[in-house]
Amino acid sequence: KQFMIIKDKEYNWFIQGFNVPKVSKDKKGRMLSFYPTIYNGADITNKIIKLDDEGKIEIGNTKYTITINI
């Protein structure tokens, strides 16, 4: 789990980036690399940021585009 999307009572949306290790071993002893959570170009590791109506989340080579429609 690398990030979480949160909604408050006023329908404001936030993203929380979790702290993850840079490397870790899986159950088979293989080394795994982790990357910081990037939201609109900024590292949000250990932060909670209000989401824009449109934004981009990047973790390594994985990219998500989000749009908030209420």
Side-chain angles (χ1 to χ4, degrees), residues 3 15 17 26 32 43 45 47 49 63 65:
F3 66 91
I15 182 170
D26 69 4
L32 303 172
D43 184 349
T45 303
K47 297 177 185 170
I49 304 293
K63 297 179 182 183
T65 300

Side-chain angles (χ1 to χ4, degrees), residues 7-24:
K7 177 181 65 106
D8 67 11
K9 293 178 183 178
E10 289 80 34
Y11 292 96
N12 295 306
W13 293 85
F14 300 87
I15 182 170
Q16 178 179 4
F18 297 124
N19 191 25
V20 293
K22 292 186 184 221
V23 293
S24 182

